[in-house]
Amino acid sequence: SMRTGGTSTVYAEFGIHTVGSFCQGGVTSVTGTLNPGASHIDYPPPVDIPDFSCSTNGSTTTDSEGRTIVSPGNHGNLNFQLGADVIFSPGTHCFNNGLTIGNFEDVTADYAKFLFKGGEFRLTGGTLTCNDLMVHVDGGSGISFGGSGKIFCNNVVFFLSSGGVTWNGNPE
């Protein structure tokens, strides 16, 4: 089953397929074919979840334009300044304590892989721009995207071996 709420906009190029019901609530706009009677998927699903990890520690630096550059590797607590421009370099980033994008940060993550071994992937008030991003939650508590965050991404895949997903929306 799937339920939408608030003032969200959902666009699904290849449709929304649910085994149970689809309940469109609030002031929700849905574009795409709805298929609420889809067949169930065997558990575990027949999907090869990529196995990626980090063998070194990541780091942060500041470039000549004042942007925070995050190199691939293991990350502890990443704290960004209010309104910071943050760029995750291409490669694999592993988070032991989650990652929160908030405080009006502008975060870019192109050609990156995010592995959450702990904590949560949260977007609470910033902007995430990404292309070809793969996210795997394996030991973390899941993904939470709040209504005041903005996401502008293409070709993104989410795998959750643990945790859940909360995705709220307020379209512009």
Side-chain angles (χ1 to χ4, degrees):
S1 295
M2 179 177 174
R3 183 183 71 166
T4 62
T7 55
S8 58
T9 299
V10 177
Y11 172 75
E13 182 176 353
F14 299 105
I16 297 171
H17 305 274
T18 63
V19 174
S21 62
F22 179 85
C23 180
Q24 188 171 334
V27 186
T28 303
S29 169
V30 177
T31 303
T33 305
L34 298 176
N35 181 9
S39 299
H40 77 280
I41 297 173
D42 292 333
Y43 186 81
V47 174
D48 292 327
I49 298 175
D51 184 21
F52 50 92
S53 62
C54 299
S55 58
T56 61
N57 289 329
S59 63
T60 61
T61 58
T62 303
D63 70 4
S64 62
E65 296 177 35
R67 301 176 299 187
T68 301
I69 309 299
V70 183
S71 69
N74 287 301
H75 302 290
N77 292 327
L78 290 176
N79 296 306
F80 306 117
Q81 293 182 347
L82 178 67
D85 286 326
V86 179
I87 298 173
F88 282 89
S89 297
T92 302
H93 298 265
C94 298
F95 302 92
N96 295 312
N97 300 314
L99 172 66
T100 297
I101 300 170
N103 298 325
F104 307 101
E105 293 127 356
D106 289 322
V107 175
T108 301
D110 292 334
Y111 309 103
K113 296 177 182 177
F114 285 2
L115 173 61
F116 290 89
K117 298 185 281 184
E120 185 175 43
F121 183 21
R122 295 178 54 89
L123 178 67
T124 62
T127 300
L128 173 63
T129 303
C130 58
N131 292 290
D132 299 302
L133 175 67
M134 186 178 299
V135 177
H136 185 193
V137 179
D138 189 14
S141 57
I143 298 172
S144 177
F145 295 149
S148 60
K150 297 177 182 173
I151 302 171
F152 303 98
C153 293
N154 296 297
N155 301 319
V156 179
V157 177
F158 296 101
F159 295 100
L160 276 78
S161 298
S162 64
V165 176
T166 300
W167 197 318
N168 298 314
N170 291 315
E172 294 182 336

